[in-house]
Amino acid sequence: MSLSGKAKLAGVIGWPVGHSWSPRLHGHWLEFYGIDGAYVPLPVRPADFAEVLRALPRMGFSGANVTLPHKETALALVDHLDPLARRIGAVNTLIVRSDGSIEGRNTDAFGFRENLRHVLPGLSLAAGPAVVVGAGGAARAVVAALEDAGAPEIRLVNRTRERAENLAKSMGALVRVIDWEQRHDCLADTALLVNTTTQGMSGQPPLPLLLDRLPLTATVTDLVYVPLETPLLADARRRGLAVVDGLGMLLHQARPGFEAWFGVMPEVTDTLRRFVEA
């Protein structure tokens, strides 16, 4: 579609940024909803990030997504910080307010929760203990989502126990750190298993986790989306377990930002998934 001089502008800031799927995703929504707007990749070196962030209002941008390596840096630079972004410790969405100030949000917890809700509408995150593998930024967003959804217990498993303990201390009392050697046994009464690591991604080794003790009523989800079916999900599917891939989280986490910038809350549809997968 053609752009006018009144087109609303947004983009994704990262270094590098060429791998990002966000321009394709937001471009699809702009076309689908007939919005006079554009979403562009913005490759920004770390040394230039603060200057570029402050220039967004002056350049007429409604906001932007923030990806690696700027997510944590943005915390200290925005004028207003959403409480959830503060809890997670990272900003992935910038909103330029009407007065030119910049608000930082994190939509990863929303994306995680909405992906599960979209694929498995009857799933309750409060139904039983959840096991989260990994202790990075994605794990923090998942833990926050599980806490807010009423999970009775969150078992955090990570190769480096110290990193898991640091995450647990900064989050809620529901988080219990499990030794890496006990990762198989802690699945016994689990309702939800979440892999937040890169293991299972194309070019990476599979997650070394045995699902034998996982109840048949459990759900398994992997934040990795390349490939869509990781070895973990393939194993879970063979066992008859409910599985949810990671692509939906990527799609759903983009929705609140799009609404803030362009005025429409977009939907995640099968057509959109096929478009992004292509």
Side-chain angles (χ1 to χ4, degrees), residues 214-225:
L214 203 58
L216 292 177
T217 54
T219 298
V220 179
T221 183
D222 200 324
L223 302 197
V224 170
Y225 53 85

Side-chain angles (χ1 to χ4, degrees), residues 33 110 255-256 258-259 263-267:
Y33 292 105
F110 173 89
R255 295 170 61 211
F258 189 92
E259 181 184 33
V264 173
M265 175 59 92
E267 294 184 8

Side-chain angles (χ1 to χ4, degrees), residues 167-179:
L167 189 155
K169 288 176 184 176
S170 65
M171 302 301 282
L174 297 175
V175 183
R176 183 162 68 93
V177 176
I178 305 294
D179 285 333

Side-chain angles (χ1 to χ4, degrees), residues 115-201:
N115 184 32
L116 291 176
R117 182 180 298 174
H118 182 82
V119 178
L120 301 172
L123 178 67
S124 170
L125 298 182
V131 172
V132 178
V133 184
R140 297 181 69 89
V142 168
V143 168
L146 292 171
E147 286 180 336
D148 292 346
E153 183 183 45
I154 303 167
R155 298 166 186 166
L156 190 62
V157 182
N158 193 59
R159 288 183 184 273
T160 306
R161 183 180 176 92
E162 182 181 3
R163 191 172 185 186
E165 288 178 341
N166 289 338
L167 189 155
K169 288 176 184 176
S170 65
M171 302 301 282
L174 297 175
V175 183
R176 183 162 68 93
V177 176
I178 305 294
D179 285 333
W180 181 250
E181 292 74 17
Q182 302 300 317
R183 65 190 182 281
H184 312 297
D185 296 332
C186 75
L187 300 179
D189 58 346
T190 298
L192 176 68
L193 169 63
V194 188
N195 176 38
T196 72
T197 75
T198 59
Q199 290 188 284
M201 182 183 293

